[in-house]
Amino acid sequence: MTSLEVADDQAWLAALGVLPSTEEASGDDYVRELVIPVSDSEEVRVTWDVTDGSVRVRHLRDGSIVLDLFRELATRLTVVSTGSAREVVVEYGSADWSGRARVQVLPEVRVEDNVLRS
């Protein structure tokens, strides 16, 4: 069983200006959510469950889902700031393979997801 390491609330606030909260849709107190406004019509929603080791990243435009990235066996969820760019990084995998999804959320949304066998 993997354990999910998540950046603390202050790291999210410092990089993105928003704090995670309990996700209401699931009704599970262990599922947290971060809503990141990208523009007036776009947002990125990141939800995670440390008990299940799962992370979901959804990019929405005008209320419609553009991207739905779901990863189980997640080991790390963090935020990275490089210049004006802000990225949510999800690392996941097991003994035989590993992956990393980098989702740039600001100033625009870009996604890079790589999986490698060990």
Side-chain angles (χ1 to χ4, degrees):
M1 179 178 193
T2 62
S3 99
L4 176 57
E5 175 190 330
V6 179
D8 66 31
D9 289 359
Q10 292 308 308
W12 298 112
L13 182 61
L16 302 171
V18 293
L19 284 167
S21 61
T22 301
E23 190 227 14
E24 295 179 17
S26 69
D28 187 338
D29 291 340
Y30 294 106
V31 179
R32 305 228 30 225
E33 178 177 50
L34 188 67
V35 180
I36 307 156
V38 178
S39 70
D40 290 341
S41 61
E42 283 183 281
E43 68 182 19
V44 172
R45 291 181 172 262
V46 182
T47 56
W48 63 90
D49 184 339
V50 292
T51 61
D52 287 341
S54 62
V55 176
R56 170 168 262 139
V57 179
R58 287 187 174 150
H59 173 210
L60 294 98
R61 184 177 302 132
D62 294 321
S64 297
I65 296 173
V66 177
L67 167 79
D68 188 357
L69 178 79
F70 180 73
R71 294 294 177 258
E72 291 185 316
L73 300 173
T75 56
R76 186 167 186 241
L77 174 63
T78 193
V79 61
V80 175
S81 300
T82 308
S84 63
R86 303 293 182 264
E87 294 181 328
V88 173
V89 179
V90 181
E91 295 177 5
Y92 53 93
S94 68
D96 297 333
W97 60 277
S98 64
R100 176 181 291 154
R102 298 179 73 94
V103 181
Q104 178 180 302
V105 294
L106 295 170
E108 62 186 5
V109 178
R110 295 182 184 188
V111 179
E112 180 183 318
D113 189 22
N114 297 297
V115 179
L116 301 170
R117 290 186 305 181
S118 299

